[in-house]
Amino acid sequence: MIKRKLIFTYIVMPLLIFIIFIFSLLNGTIEISFLNILKMLFGNKKMLTEDIIVIIKQIRLPRTIMSCVTGAGLSISGCVFQAILKNPLADPFTLGISSGAAFGTTLAFVLGLDTMASFFMPLCAFIGMICSIFIIYLLNMKNKFNSNSMILSGVVVSYIFSAAVMFMFILSPTNSVQSAFIWLMGGNLSTFDERLLPFVIVVVIVGTIILSLLGNIINIISLNIEKSETLGINVAKNVKFLFIMASFVTAVTVSACGIIAFIGLIVPHIMRKIIGSNNVILIPASAFAGAIFLQLCDTLSRTLFSPILIPIGIVTSVIGGIFFICLLLKSEKY
Amino acid sequence: MSTVKIGEILIHIDNVSRNYLDKKILKNISCDIYINDFFCIIGRNGVGKSTLLKIICGLIKPCAGSVFINNKNINSFSKKELSRKIAFLPQYVDTSVSFIVSEFIMFGRCPYMNVFKIPSSYDYTTVNKIMDFLQINNLANRRIYELSDGEKQKILIAQVLVQGTDIIILDEPVSHLDIGNQNNILKILKNLNSEYNKTIVLTLHDLNAASEFCNKILLMENDGSVCQYGTPEKVINYKNIEKIYKTTVIVRTNPISNKPYVIPIK
C-alpha cells in the first residue's frame, strides 16, 4: 500500500513532469518539432536555426521551468495551510497573503515604478506580502495561532488590502490599471524577470524538502489540538514556524510571477483523494502534481487563443473548477 | 510495569479551582487517584468534568491549586515527559480525515520519536501488538472516515494505548455508542486496568456503566465542587442522584455484581 504510493509519487509523477515538460516546449504560437527539442536539450545545437534556439532558450524554457516551480511552490504551501488550519478551504490566498502582494504591485504600477526598473515589481509584491504575513502573525500572537482566529484574521487582512487595491484602481490611469490587472491574474508568467528564476527554484526545492521532512509533525498538528498537545507537540510553536515557512514559499513564487489562483487549493485536494492525508507523501506529491498542473495550464494559456496569451489565472481557475466539480460529484465523500 | 505499587497515590488534586471568564467552573476540587484505579467523574453537563480532565493532563492551568503526579507538580514536567506519562482521548476528535488506520494509530507513538517524528521499527511492532490486542488488524489499511463509530472509537483507543503510558484519561469515550460497543470499549479498558495495571480516569454519563466498571467515582456538585467521592456503593444512592440530577430515580443493587444501578422513573 505505502510502497505503491511511494512509487507513484517518486517515479510516476516525475516522469509525467518530464513528459509534460517536453510537450510544453513543443507547443506554442510557433510549432517546434519533437526532434528539434531533443536536439536542443541533449544534442548538437548547430543543426538548429537561430530563431528556434531563441524561442526555446529564451522564451519557452524559462517559462516552463517557472510554471513548474511556481505550481509546486503554491501547491505545497496550500497543502501545509490546509493541514495546520484544519480547514479544507484554506490556501495561500485565503490567509490574505496574496492580497498583500496585490497591494504591493498595484502600488508599484500606480506610482509608475514598473517603468523605472524591472525588479521593483517583485520587490513591491514581496514587501506587500511580508506586511500581510506580519499583520496576521501579530494578530495571532495572543491567540496562540488558533486555526479559526488565523483564518478570520487572514480574511480580514485580505479584504482590507483588496479594498485598498480597488481604491487605487479608481484613482489611477487606465493603462496602469490594465497591466496591474494582468499581473493579478498571473499574467506575469510571460514577462517575469529571468534573473529571479534560480532564486525561486532554490526556495521551492528547499521548502518542499523541509516541509516534507516535517510531514509527520504536520500530520499530528492536523489532529485535534488537545490530542497533539498531549502527544508532546508544542502546537503554537510549530504552527508559527510552518506558517512562516509556507508563507515565505508563497511570497517568493507569487512575487516572481503574479497571483495564480486556485492551484494551492485544488492540487492538495486532488492529491489527498488519490494518496490520502499523510503529509509525508502528500507534500512531495502535491509539489509534483502542482508542477504538472501549472505546466499544462501554461501550455493551454499559450496555445488556446494563440497568438493572444491569456493570463494563466483564468485557465487554472476554469480547469481547476471543472475538475473539482467532477471530483465532488463523483465521490460521495471528500 | 514492575515498579507499580498498588495503593499508592498517583495523581493528587489539591484544591483546584478554575474560572472561565467570570464564571467559576471548578471550585476547590481535592481528591486522590491511586495507582490502578478505574476512576470515573460524573456530574451534570457543564459542571466542569472535561475541564478537570484537561487540568489533570496539563492542557489547562488551574486558576488556583495544583495537580501532583507521583508527588511532583505537573508544571515541573515538560510536554514530552508528560506525554510519556499521560495519554488523553478528547471528547471530539475529527475522524473525517483520510488517514490510513495504521498511520493514524502511529501518531500515538509521537512522544518517542525523533525531531522529524519518523517511526522506528519498535514503533511499528508496538502498533501491531496493540492492533492485535484490540483485534482491529483487519482495519489496518482502511481509511478512517470509512469506519463505523464503534470502529473509530477502537482506533482512537488504540492510538491512546500505543502511547504506552501508565495513566489513560478519556473524556466520554462511549457517549455516542450503542450498548454493545459501549460495553466492548469499557471491557477493554477494564481489562487494561486489571491485567496491565493502567490507571484509568474517565468521564461517563451512563451511571450504571460507571457503577459497574469503576472502583472510584467522583460525583460533582452543580456548582463545580466535589459532592462526594468514593466507591460506587457509597456515591450512587438515590439521595445523591436526585440532588445532583434533579430527577426521581430508584437505586437497586445488581444481584450479579452487587453494584448499585439507577432506574429513572416518571
Side-chain angles (χ1 to χ4, degrees):
Chain A
M1 191 89 179
I2 288 169
K3 210 172 167 188
R4 226 168 52 204
K5 283 181 194 168
L6 286 177
I7 290 173
F8 178 73
T9 308
Y10 289 108
I11 296 173
V12 177
M13 296 189 75
L15 265 178
L16 267 176
I17 293 184
F18 184 72
I19 294 168
I20 292 167
F21 185 77
I22 301 287
F23 174 75
S24 180
L25 289 180
L26 290 175
N27 286 290
T29 313
I30 295 162
E31 293 287 328
I32 295 172
S33 75
F34 183 62
L35 208 66
N36 283 343
I37 294 282
L38 285 186
K39 277 182 201 159
M40 175 74 203
L41 286 178
F42 306 109
N44 192 349
K45 285 174 195 163
K46 281 174 191 154
M47 290 148 74
L48 299 171
T49 55
E50 191 66 26
D51 38 325
I52 287 188
I53 294 182
V54 169
I55 286 176
I56 293 181
K57 204 171 176 188
Q58 284 175 16
I59 301 175
R60 287 197 193 157
L61 199 59
R63 188 180 169 136
T64 310
I65 294 175
M66 189 55 142
S67 65
C68 239
V69 179
T70 308
L74 290 175
S75 302
I76 55 164
S77 35
C79 192
V80 171
F81 281 127
Q82 286 170 13
I84 62 175
L85 299 177
K86 298 174 197 112
N87 190 322
L89 292 179
D91 78 342
F93 301 156
T94 38
L95 276 179
I97 297 166
S98 67
S99 333
F103 177 76
T105 16
T106 312
L107 194 65
F109 276 117
V110 169
L111 296 178
L113 290 178
D114 56 319
T115 49
M116 281 157 69
S118 61
F119 70 86
F120 267 125
M121 300 308 301
L123 189 69
C124 287
F126 193 76
I127 292 173
M129 269 182 286
I130 296 297
C131 285
S132 59
I133 293 167
F134 192 63
I135 294 172
I136 296 167
Y137 187 93
L138 282 183
L139 287 175
N140 282 285
M141 268 187 356
K142 227 180 170 180
N143 285 325
K144 291 185 171 173
F145 295 85
N146 164 288
S147 57
N148 282 338
S149 83
M150 275 187 84
I151 292 173
L152 275 179
S153 55
V155 170
V156 169
V157 167
S158 138
Y159 274 117
I160 291 172
F161 275 125
S162 306
V165 169
M166 291 303 153
F167 185 65
M168 282 191 288
F169 275 175
I170 286 174
L171 293 183
S172 53
T174 340
N175 56 341
S176 69
V177 168
Q178 202 192 351
S179 45
F181 216 74
I182 288 175
W183 190 92
L184 292 182
M185 310 205 72
N188 206 35
L189 202 54
S190 46
T191 55
F192 70 91
D193 193 336
E194 258 179 57
R195 286 167 295 176
L196 291 172
L197 192 54
F199 181 60
V200 180
I201 292 176
V202 169
V203 168
V204 170
I205 290 180
V206 171
T208 310
I209 292 172
I210 293 179
L211 290 171
S212 308
L213 281 175
L214 295 176
N216 272 314
I217 295 180
I218 301 174
N219 284 340
I220 293 163
I221 288 173
S222 72
L223 306 174
N224 182 315
I225 179 161
E226 288 151 1
K227 187 80 221 180
S228 13
E229 287 273 345
T230 50
L231 284 171
I233 298 271
N234 188 338
V235 174
K237 202 176 100 192
N238 279 295
V239 166
K240 205 157 56 181
F241 175 76
L242 290 166
F243 165 67
I244 290 174
M245 185 80 203
S247 305
F248 183 72
V249 173
T250 312
V252 169
T253 50
V254 169
S255 53
C257 61
I259 295 172
I260 300 173
F262 231 53
I263 177 161
L265 174 70
I266 206 162
V267 171
H269 254 296
I270 294 168
M271 293 322 289
R272 198 170 288 125
K273 287 204 68 71
I274 298 174
I275 62 161
S277 298
N278 189 349
N279 288 291
V280 180
I281 311 178
L282 182 61
I283 289 172
S286 296
F288 293 141
I292 293 172
F293 182 67
L294 204 61
Q295 274 190 59
L296 277 178
C297 289
D298 178 46
T299 316
L300 281 178
S301 81
R302 281 186 287 128
T303 49
L304 269 186
F305 297 99
S306 140
I308 302 172
L309 300 176
I310 37 177
I312 195 167
I314 297 176
V315 183
T316 53
S317 299
V318 171
I319 294 187
I322 292 170
F323 197 75
F324 205 36
I325 288 171
C326 294
L327 212 66
L328 278 180
L329 291 180
K330 223 182 108 192
S331 66
E332 61 288 350
K333 172 152 184 78
Y334 84 91
Chain B
M1 243 15 96
S2 56
T3 54
V4 169
K5 285 182 211 146
I6 313 286
E8 203 171 272
I9 294 176
L10 182 60
I11 305 171
H12 173 60
I13 301 168
D14 185 27
N15 222 0
V16 162
S17 301
R18 167 83 195 181
N19 303 348
Y20 181 71
L21 301 177
D22 285 340
K23 201 182 156 229
K24 271 203 160 165
I25 316 182
L26 295 176
K27 227 159 86 186
N28 306 329
I29 303 253
S30 289
C31 74
D32 294 325
I33 298 171
Y34 291 84
I35 285 176
N36 209 22
D37 264 355
F38 199 119
F39 191 97
C40 181
I41 302 168
I42 56 175
R44 295 189 72 167
N45 293 111
V47 294
K49 298 189 296 292
S50 301
T51 311
L52 182 57
L53 287 188
K54 284 174 197 167
I55 287 176
I56 300 174
C57 297
L59 284 169
I60 302 181
K61 297 257 177 294
C63 298
S66 35
V67 176
F68 296 89
I69 292 174
N70 289 335
N71 290 323
K72 257 177 92 182
N73 193 316
I74 196 166
N75 295 330
S76 65
F77 290 100
S78 75
K79 268 205 171 94
K80 198 150 191 172
E81 283 170 342
L82 213 54
S83 67
R84 292 175 183 188
K85 274 203 153 23
I86 302 178
F88 178 54
L89 177 59
Q91 191 172 355
Y92 305 106
V93 178
D94 183 13
T95 46
S96 60
V97 289
S98 61
F99 286 114
I100 308 287
V101 168
S102 52
E103 280 171 3
F104 189 73
I105 296 174
M106 184 59 83
F107 297 154
R109 293 297 297 170
C110 172
Y112 304 94
M113 296 178 192
N114 59 9
V115 198
F116 295 119
K117 309 291 171 203
I118 294 160
S120 66
S121 60
Y122 182 71
D123 293 330
Y124 283 106
T125 9
T126 315
V127 167
N128 285 334
K129 233 163 46 190
I130 296 292
M131 285 203 290
D132 278 337
F133 175 72
L134 295 176
Q135 295 165 352
I136 48 175
N137 281 322
N138 53 332
L139 305 177
N141 285 325
R142 299 266 300 277
R143 292 201 180 178
I144 301 281
Y145 64 76
E146 302 169 345
L147 306 177
S148 73
D149 279 354
E151 289 168 328
K152 279 179 184 170
Q153 203 62 25
K154 269 194 180 175
I155 304 298
L156 291 171
I157 300 247
Q159 198 187 44
V160 162
L161 289 185
V162 293
Q163 213 173 323
T165 55
D166 289 339
I167 307 170
I168 297 175
I169 297 182
L170 308 104
D171 198 353
E172 290 181 23
V174 295
S175 53
H176 54 280
L177 301 179
D178 65 51
I179 190 164
N181 277 319
Q182 178 178 335
N183 243 7
N184 270 339
I185 298 283
L186 286 172
K187 270 184 196 160
I188 290 166
L189 293 175
K190 188 76 197 168
N191 183 12
L192 286 165
N193 176 246
S194 50
E195 299 291 320
Y196 298 88
N197 294 325
K198 303 271 185 200
T199 305
I200 290 174
V201 184
L202 76 174
T203 59
L204 287 174
H205 274 304
D206 185 341
L207 299 176
N208 296 331
S211 152
E212 201 62 33
F213 284 95
C214 308
N215 67 338
K216 291 277 177 56
I217 292 180
L218 174 98
L219 178 61
M220 288 181 68
E221 191 80 64
N222 293 337
D223 62 355
S225 57
V226 177
C227 172
Q228 195 163 30
Y229 97 95
T231 57
E233 291 83 355
K234 190 173 152 196
V235 176
I236 307 243
N237 54 50
Y238 82 92
K239 253 191 197 158
N240 277 343
I241 303 300
E242 288 188 353
K243 187 176 117 198
I244 300 297
Y245 290 91
K246 311 249 181 318
T247 180
T248 30
V249 294
I250 309 172
V251 176
R252 291 264 181 277
T253 305
N254 182 339
I256 295 165
S257 63
N258 285 323
K259 297 279 173 90
Y261 67 94
V262 181
I263 311 164
I265 49 175
K266 276 201 278 191

